[in-house]
Amino acid sequence: MSLRSFFRPNRTSIARPDQSLMVENRALLERIDRRKLLRGSLSLGALSLLAGCDISNREEVQGVLRTVSDFNDGVQAALFDPKRLAPTYSRDLVVKPPRFNAYYEIDEVKPVDLSTWKLELSGLVKDKRPWTLDRVNALPQQEVIIRHICVEGWDYIGQWSGPNLRDFLTRVGADLSAKYIAFYGNDDYMESIDMASALHPQTILATHYAGEPITDPFGAPMRLRTAVKLGFKNPKWIRAIEVTNTYPLGFWEKQGFNWFAGL
Amino acid sequence: MKEHTSRRMHPLALRIMHWTNAIAMIVMIGSGWKIYNDEVIFGFLHFPQPIVLGVWAQHALQWHFFGMWVLVLNGLAYLAYGIATGRFARLLFPIRPREVIAEAVAALTFRLKHQDLTHYNAVQKVLYVGVITIIVVQVASGLAIWKPVQFSGLVSMFGGFQSARLIHFLGMATIVLFMVVHVALALLVPKTLLAMFTGGPRLPDPAPLHADGAPAPDPSR
């Protein structure tokens, strides 16, 4: 891979940090506030004060840091071994229920109506007919017992099953040479991953946890589970999948998190 | 004439690498503290916002994965330089346990002499070799946390993912402790601090070695 392609100049323009601080960090602000890290004392005034004495948010600094983050995407893609399997674990290590995580609290989850739910397909896919849950469940099922690792540093072992993503993409005639796959949640969440990670043997469209259908807080009826990405790259409550060559960014990347986020 | 051509105690390249490392380390520690705050290992310990680097966690991650390149590339250059020029062999080795104990006792009772800057005492040798080793382990545990699937063997070596996180934290704590002692001692003997800016005393050129590896006394003194 050439050094130039590491930098992906077409993407640095997207990553411009020109949105206002509050809008850009709305979700994170809410999350941190809830965690009471700031002990309820967070105010706009305090926030601007914090931003004032830390140069991280300045546009020129963000320009450099996001360029390095893009460079690190390329390095991680080069480090990624598509054949290397993540460690798997025995069933007695599985944590039940799985740990909840979203940019909002568990009581704010809007459950998906399973009777009307359909999986939409778009982009570089030949057969774009939507999938009902019954059809998804009729596909061959794969179980993975893998470690979920959050960018924050916590982890747990989960037992997920559902159709293998590579099999599914092959079945619907997706262009497997496309660069990206984007997953749209029933909320406003969207994350995208590289095709190599999507085709990894331990990447599945999970519909079950520990042998039972996934319940509402954990992404019913379908979520992505890949052993080779950080937790936030595994969208829940999936309603649509898009195969594309246009870099789709993602919910957290817009706020400055690293896109590749590979394990 | 010879005065002007002979090498300094700390050649320019070494000084640049030292201060680059200092800045990279401060960036890594400050951003690491912010990252830690999102999932603390010890419930009683949160790093206050004024001393961390990054308004939000994503900034801290950006700094950490920027700083790692500076730290690792500069560190590799430093190791290569130290080995190739013989600086490590001349200044950091050999380390004799008996001298370490005697000089540690002397240091703790404020009786340790520090006249000759060009010669490190046994306590200095242990501290410098120790912190270099800790930094190498710190890079390895960081790699394990960053890429636990690609380097799953490294994770096992550190005893699992959370164990690798803990070791990464303890490595940081050790490095911070070293920095406190290092800066305190440099301030106590200001000419050592000055030497890291100006280069310090000139060495005889070429530096003849005693049988024990220590440099010969400077004839100009």
Side-chain angles (χ1 to χ4, degrees), chain A residues 42-58:
Chain A
L42 192 68
S43 67
L44 268 174
L47 187 65
S48 53
L49 198 69
L50 285 179
C53 51
D54 191 312
I55 60 165
S56 306
N57 245 332
R58 282 161 62 166

Side-chain angles (χ1 to χ4, degrees), chain A residues 21 25 28-29 31-32 35 37 47 50-51 54-57 61-62 65-66 68 71-72 75-76 79-81 84-87 99 147 149 151-155 227-228 255-257 262-263, chain B residues 34-40 43 46 49-50 52-69 143 145-156 160-162 165:
Chain A
L21 178 69
N25 292 290
L28 194 76
L29 173 61
R31 191 164 59 99
I32 289 173
R35 284 167 180 250
L37 284 183
L47 187 65
L50 285 179
D54 191 312
I55 60 165
S56 306
N57 245 332
V61 175
Q62 274 297 298
L65 292 178
R66 291 195 185 212
V68 175
F71 172 77
N72 287 340
V75 172
Q76 292 178 87
L79 275 176
F80 177 68
D81 177 354
R84 187 179 182 85
L85 295 180
R99 178 163 171 173
R147 189 178 294 277
I149 295 175
V151 68
E152 294 177 326
W154 51 265
D155 71 300
V228 293
Q255 303 180 29
F257 283 87
L263 292 177
Chain B
K34 179 71 182 173
I35 296 167
Y36 164 94
N37 277 351
D38 251 3
E39 180 66 15
V40 300
H46 284 81
Q49 187 63 34
V52 302
L53 182 58
V55 184
W56 304 102
Q58 60 266 48
H59 303 137
L61 289 158
Q62 289 169 344
W63 280 114
H64 214 67
F65 291 103
F66 167 58
M68 72 170 185
W69 289 112
L143 203 54
I145 300 168
W146 186 41
K147 290 275 161 266
V149 172
Q150 303 310 316
F151 301 115
S152 53
L154 210 50
V155 178
S156 306
F161 182 76
Q162 289 303 331
R165 267 189 88 215

Side-chain angles (χ1 to χ4, degrees), chain B residues 29-100:
Chain B
I29 292 168
S31 57
W33 287 352
K34 179 71 182 173
I35 296 167
Y36 164 94
N37 277 351
D38 251 3
E39 180 66 15
V40 300
I41 298 174
F42 306 103
F44 60 88
L45 179 64
H46 284 81
F47 295 99
Q49 187 63 34
I51 62 164
V52 302
L53 182 58
V55 184
W56 304 102
Q58 60 266 48
H59 303 137
L61 289 158
Q62 289 169 344
W63 280 114
H64 214 67
F65 291 103
F66 167 58
M68 72 170 185
W69 289 112
V70 181
L71 186 83
V72 168
L73 295 176
N74 183 69
L76 287 174
Y78 171 77
L79 291 177
Y81 177 95
I83 293 166
T85 61
R87 181 183 173 89
F88 287 166
R90 183 164 49 86
L91 286 179
L92 301 181
F93 296 100
I95 298 173
R96 297 192 181 83
R98 203 189 304 163
E99 280 176 29
V100 175

Side-chain angles (χ1 to χ4, degrees), chain A residues 7-257:
Chain A
F7 280 102
R8 302 190 198 175
N10 58 320
R11 285 185 30 209
T12 45
S13 60
I14 305 168
R16 235 177 27 249
D18 59 354
Q19 295 145 317
S20 83
L21 178 69
M22 289 308 293
V23 171
E24 190 175 42
N25 292 290
R26 177 181 54 89
L28 194 76
L29 173 61
E30 287 168 1
R31 191 164 59 99
I32 289 173
D33 199 22
R34 272 195 317 273
R35 284 167 180 250
K36 302 202 174 11
L37 284 183
L38 300 182
R39 307 263 176 226
S41 64
L42 192 68
S43 67
L44 268 174
L47 187 65
S48 53
L49 198 69
L50 285 179
C53 51
D54 191 312
I55 60 165
S56 306
N57 245 332
R58 282 161 62 166
E59 195 167 338
E60 63 273 23
V61 175
Q62 274 297 298
V64 172
L65 292 178
R66 291 195 185 212
T67 302
V68 175
S69 187
D70 288 350
F71 172 77
N72 287 340
D73 283 345
V75 172
Q76 292 178 87
L79 275 176
F80 177 68
D81 177 354
K83 291 196 186 71
R84 187 179 182 85
L85 295 180
T88 54
Y89 304 89
S90 67
R91 286 185 183 182
D92 53 317
L93 292 173
V94 172
V95 173
K96 294 175 206 169
R99 178 163 171 173
F100 175 79
N101 63 301
Y103 70 88
Y104 44 80
E105 288 291 294
I106 193 163
D107 53 17
E108 294 167 65
V109 170
K110 295 186 191 72
V112 172
D113 182 354
L114 300 190
S115 61
T116 57
W117 179 86
K118 279 195 170 68
L119 176 66
E120 313 272 348
L121 300 177
S122 65
L124 305 169
V125 179
K126 282 204 190 89
D127 182 358
K128 293 194 174 70
R129 281 178 300 170
W131 285 68
T132 63
L133 191 53
D134 285 344
R135 279 183 69 211
V136 172
N137 284 336
L139 293 171
Q141 304 286 301
Q142 177 189 354
E143 182 180 273
V144 288
I145 302 180
I146 50 175
R147 189 178 294 277
H148 175 120
I149 295 175
C150 178
V151 68
E152 294 177 326
W154 51 265
D155 71 300
Y156 71 91
I157 291 165
Q159 177 189 350
W160 305 93
S161 50
N164 176 277
L165 182 58
R166 175 196 278 267
D167 289 351
F168 181 81
L169 292 173
T170 308
R171 194 176 292 267
V172 298
D175 178 0
L176 300 187
S177 66
K179 284 185 185 164
Y180 312 106
I181 302 201
F183 301 87
Y184 295 85
N186 195 51
D187 48 3
D188 57 350
Y189 198 79
M190 186 279 277
E191 276 295 344
S192 61
I193 64 172
D194 56 299
M195 183 60 82
S197 298
L199 300 180
H200 187 271
Q202 290 166 312
T203 300
I204 67 170
L205 293 171
T207 55
H208 289 69
Y209 188 80
E212 300 290 329
I214 293 177
T215 51
D216 289 330
F218 307 107
M222 178 189 280
R223 63 174 295 174
L224 183 69
R225 268 313 280 133
T226 172
V228 293
K229 295 285 186 195
L230 285 170
F232 75 88
K233 303 297 284 187
N234 295 257
K236 297 185 279 291
W237 310 286
I238 292 176
R239 61 170 173 81
I241 298 176
E242 180 187 10
V243 179
T244 178
N245 280 317
T246 310
Y247 176 61
L249 217 73
F251 182 89
W252 291 110
E253 290 80 354
K254 287 176 190 161
Q255 303 180 29
F257 283 87

